[in-house]
Amino acid sequence: MQLRQSERKQAKIKLAIQGSSGSGKTYSALLLAYGLINDWNKIAIIDTENGSADLYAHLGSYQVLSLKPPYSPERYVQAIETCVKSGIECIIIDSISHCWEFLLEYHSSLAGNSFANWAIVGKRQNRFVDAILQCQAHIIATMRTKQDYVLNQKDGKYIPEKVGLKSVQRDGLDYEFTIVFDIDSKHFTKASKDRTGLFTDKPEFIVTSNTGKEILDWCNSGIGLKEVKAMIESSTSMEDLIAIYKKYPTWYNLLEKEYSLKKQLLQVNQNIESSKILQNGTL
């Protein structure tokens, strides 16, 4: 174990949009994704909503991965991995509610103690959540909310309006995301959770690609892969290289080759210097 000074690194956003059917979750997710990436070819939708992803093809040439039943956590994980291997930089999962509905049916099919069986369900759910959180791409996940209607007065008449309530997913899942946007039937959005501080206590707004650009600026404001790579290349001693490794351990897997090459170069230089000292008779 070792203490280190806190430091915010560059991040890939993990964002959720929750709302009732027809509130504009998919459309908003696409606008956010374009603001983040600025390249439709690097955006993909994992579609579980019966082809709804193709409804907005006029926006740009984004990729679609149609996910068919069963909507198991393992199939979602496989879909995420497929997108990453294809060079996708922003993955929209539309929606993750089907995964939870699958797990609820799975739980009801298990024999034995119902309470104990939730541990089995939880392990499968956790693998799915981990795949989202550890993904090296931006991820925007949509969640359906249980629908209800309220009566609002307009021009002296009471008109029923559809509203979203609790999201169809495991309780507490929203805590895993950096940002959670709640979108209503009129497409107005408000952040119910925001670790970035960009939307905290802000009034309702309509999501645009500029919203994605704001989030991208926040993501890029920390120390990132390129900065750590530059530090490795400019290091002049093994002590410097070890210090970089200890300070940014989360980047090691992605920079293992750079660390290895720099280590070899430093060792060669060290041997040359030692040889020079011996030849000069100073050692």
Side-chain angles (χ1 to χ4, degrees):
M1 295 183 183
Q2 184 176 0
L3 289 170
R4 63 175 179 82
Q5 186 176 3
S6 63
E7 183 175 42
R8 197 176 75 76
K9 302 174 178 63
Q10 287 185 348
K12 297 296 183 181
I13 200 66
K14 312 303 178 189
L15 183 150
I17 303 176
Q18 55 186 13
S20 59
S21 177
S23 58
K25 297 185 296 297
T26 307
Y27 184 73
S28 297
L30 282 165
L31 294 180
L32 283 169
Y34 186 70
L36 285 165
I37 304 302
N38 198 32
D39 184 352
W40 287 112
N41 291 313
K42 297 293 184 180
I43 298 169
I45 298 183
I46 298 173
D47 179 24
T48 67
E49 297 286 348
N50 299 316
S52 65
D54 294 304
L55 296 176
Y56 308 106
H58 62 282
L59 291 175
S61 54
Y62 54 85
Q63 310 297 309
V64 178
L65 193 161
S66 296
L67 194 63
K68 303 297 183 182
Y71 298 117
S72 67
E74 294 76 18
R75 283 175 55 78
Y76 273 91
V77 172
Q78 184 180 6
I80 292 171
E81 292 173 347
T82 298
C83 290
V84 172
K85 290 177 181 178
S86 300
I88 297 301
E89 296 179 10
C90 184
I91 304 170
I92 299 170
I93 310 176
D94 188 33
S95 72
I96 62 174
S97 293
H98 292 85
C99 181
W100 184 239
E101 290 172 339
F102 169 89
L103 287 174
L104 290 177
E105 291 183 9
Y106 171 68
H107 177 264
S108 64
S109 70
L110 293 174
N113 184 280
S114 177
F115 182 79
N117 287 339
W118 280 115
I120 302 173
V121 173
K123 288 180 180 179
R124 297 183 71 179
Q125 169 79 352
N126 289 340
R127 284 194 290 268
F128 167 55
V129 175
D130 287 343
I132 292 176
L133 299 181
Q134 297 173 14
C135 182
Q136 293 300 312
H138 299 290
I139 288 192
I140 302 170
T142 69
M143 296 185 287
R144 288 184 285 108
T145 53
K146 296 178 181 178
Q147 296 179 12
D148 195 10
Y149 289 84
V150 297
L151 292 176
N152 288 326
Q153 191 172 12
K154 184 176 180 181
D155 299 328
K157 298 180 180 179
Y158 284 95
I159 300 174
E161 289 190 4
K162 186 165 56 177
V163 296
L165 296 176
K166 185 177 179 293
S167 60
V168 182
Q169 246 298 334
R170 184 180 67 181
D171 288 345
L173 181 64
D174 53 333
Y175 293 110
E176 305 288 355
F177 292 95
T178 306
I179 301 174
V180 178
F181 283 150
D182 296 344
I183 185 167
D184 64 22
S185 59
K186 295 181 179 179
H187 316 312
F188 283 100
T189 302
K190 191 171 181 62
S192 58
K193 178 193 174 183
D194 179 21
R195 288 178 180 167
T196 70
L198 295 172
F199 310 99
T200 304
D201 298 326
K202 297 290 179 64
E204 294 180 336
F205 62 95
I206 299 291
V207 168
T208 68
S209 59
N210 286 330
T211 312
K213 291 177 183 178
E214 289 183 61
I215 296 171
L216 179 63
D217 289 342
W218 180 87
C219 290
N220 291 338
S221 62
I223 297 294
L225 190 66
K226 291 182 179 179
E227 286 77 10
V228 178
K229 185 176 181 180
M231 292 178 189
I232 294 171
E233 293 173 351
S234 62
S235 59
T236 58
S237 68
M238 286 299 297
E239 289 76 13
D240 289 344
L241 195 63
I242 293 171
I244 294 169
Y245 166 74
K246 289 183 176 179
K247 191 171 184 180
Y248 307 106
T250 55
W251 294 119
Y252 179 74
N253 289 337
L254 295 174
L255 294 172
E256 185 175 2
K257 182 179 179 181
E258 284 77 5
Y259 275 113
S260 179
L261 290 174
K262 190 63 179 183
K263 178 181 178 181
Q264 293 175 19
L265 180 60
L266 289 172
Q267 288 174 338
V268 169
N269 290 341
Q270 186 177 14
N271 291 336
I272 292 173
E273 290 298 322
S274 297
S275 177
K276 287 180 179 179
I277 293 173
L278 288 172
Q279 289 174 5
N280 292 334
T282 56
L283 185 65

